[in-house]
Amino acid sequence: MLFKDVIGHEVLKRKLREAVGIGRVSHAQLFLESEGTGGLAMALAYAQYVNCTDRHPEDSCNVCDSCRRMQSLEHPDLHFTFPTVGPKAVSLDFIADWRKAVKANPYLSYTDWLDTIKADNKQGNITSEECLNIVRALSLKPMYDGYKIYIIFHPESLAKNGNKLLKILEEPAPMTLFLLVAESEGDILPTILSRTQMVRIPRIADTDIHEALERRHQVEPKMAGEIARLSEGNYAKARELIHSRDESYAPLFIDWMRACYGRRIARLLKFNDEVGKLGREGQKSFLEYGLSLMRQCYLRSHGAEELLRLMDNERDFVEKFYAFTGDANIEAICELFNEYHYMIERNGNARIVFFDLSLKMNVLLHYQKQMGSRLAV
């Protein structure tokens, strides 16, 4: 993978390239990301750049033998470790599925991967046998000049098995590079954290996601802007939103809030019919959109107009609606949206879930109006 194919993060890319250029490649690095911000994609681009035989200041050459093999994920000195299911399963058992999944989506998440291997409700695990395989592989000489690279995806799944890797992480063979890609620093063994150099992957800028949606997915500009804001720096989430909505959620959400405030039962029942057509993923995305818009209302209630990121129809709504969201009810509203999002995720009946949410929103919206002034001081 090329650095130019990684969305955004230009400052971080430059630092990684410069470190390679001056020969300061730490032998064990932890790429810590939030979901969908490109930790795996960055690790793949970095691995290709490190072993490129004709690298340029800005990127790999992408034509040398090493680059071509890296692109196919079949370079003999590129090894992958990732969560599997089964007490003695190892990554090689799933390597064909892994290569196919990563080529299709280098922004693959832990959940995406478990869905790919049909883990059902089983938790992914990097087994003791897998750790022993890594240790054994280190005893073999590299096939090419350059680094022998081990990408460990979701090291949180190592649990106590990670203790078997402590010695090689601290004192690996020469020209060995470990790249760990994680989402939760707190779920990684402290002894592993202390042996790695942290590389934090920030959220992707809205402008970069916006550009990627237009260029890679041919999303029209207005919709791309809305999805970029809703995705909150998560490109994987942005990709999902492309497929889960055919038009803006704004008109439906605005009409729903007005019906909630007025407790207009007929309109709420009509809303239930409309939201039911979105499907489970669309309903989850709709609630995420609503939560985002409620936060925008709260910012406006505190006079933080410079922080608002709104489309024209959303701005009109927020200007009229922000009086109903403030310190008296915003925490309860956010908790409600998250709670009912979970219900939908767990296959709750959408009609019951949304109607119940509508009635509770009616109470909360009137509570803020009664308790606070227009600016919710």
Side-chain angles (χ1 to χ4, degrees), residues 7 98 168 207:
I7 299 169
W98 170 260
I168 61 171
T207 52

Side-chain angles (χ1 to χ4, degrees), residues 158-179:
L158 280 165
K160 293 182 179 179
N161 292 330
N163 288 320
K164 293 180 171 62
L165 302 179
L166 297 182
K167 183 174 177 57
I168 61 171
L169 283 174
E170 187 167 10
E171 298 178 359
M175 300 299 289
T176 299
L177 176 58
F178 285 96
L179 302 176

Side-chain angles (χ1 to χ4, degrees), residues 17-56:
R17 292 192 302 263
E18 288 174 351
V20 175
I22 61 176
R24 297 186 62 180
V25 177
S26 177
H27 67 267
Q29 301 179 45
L30 174 63
F31 286 57
L32 186 64
E33 64 165 349
S34 298
E35 182 180 337
T37 57
L40 179 59
M42 189 70 80
L44 290 168
Y46 182 60
Q48 180 167 322
Y49 190 74
V50 164
N51 273 354
C52 177
T53 58
D54 188 25
R55 74 175 74 97
H56 308 307

Side-chain angles (χ1 to χ4, degrees), residues 256 260 263 268-269 271-272 336 339-340 343 349-364:
W256 178 41
C260 286
R263 201 179 177 89
L268 289 176
L269 292 175
F271 162 78
N272 272 8
L336 264 186
E339 177 186 349
Y340 283 76
M343 290 182 186
N349 184 295
R351 287 179 172 272
I352 296 174
V353 167
F354 277 98
F355 192 73
D356 191 53
L357 176 56
S358 299
L359 298 180
K360 290 181 178 177
M361 281 298 296
N362 168 265
V363 174
L364 287 172

Side-chain angles (χ1 to χ4, degrees), residues 149-201:
I149 301 174
Y150 293 81
I151 294 180
I152 301 179
F153 178 73
H154 206 264
E156 298 95 320
S157 298
L158 280 165
K160 293 182 179 179
N161 292 330
N163 288 320
K164 293 180 171 62
L165 302 179
L166 297 182
K167 183 174 177 57
I168 61 171
L169 283 174
E170 187 167 10
E171 298 178 359
M175 300 299 289
T176 299
L177 176 58
F178 285 96
L179 302 176
L180 286 66
V181 180
E183 292 181 8
S184 175
E185 182 178 355
D187 291 331
I188 303 173
L189 285 175
T191 46
I192 287 182
L193 288 175
S194 66
R195 287 165 169 79
T196 57
Q197 180 185 77
M198 185 78 72
V199 179
R200 296 188 181 275
I201 312 291

Side-chain angles (χ1 to χ4, degrees), residues 209-225:
I209 291 183
H210 187 152
E211 188 275 337
L213 293 176
E214 285 194 61
R215 181 168 55 87
R216 301 185 183 196
H217 302 281
Q218 292 74 54
V219 178
E220 60 92 14
K222 184 176 180 179
M223 181 62 72

Side-chain angles (χ1 to χ4, degrees), residues 257-264 321 323-325 328-329 333 358-372:
M257 285 297 101
R258 289 169 177 162
C260 286
Y261 182 77
R263 201 179 177 89
R264 300 170 184 173
F321 201 76
F324 305 102
T325 59
N329 66 358
I333 288 175
S358 299
L359 298 180
K360 290 181 178 177
M361 281 298 296
N362 168 265
V363 174
L364 287 172
L365 294 174
H366 281 276
Y367 183 73
Q368 170 63 29
K369 189 64 175 177
Q370 294 164 5
M371 296 297 293

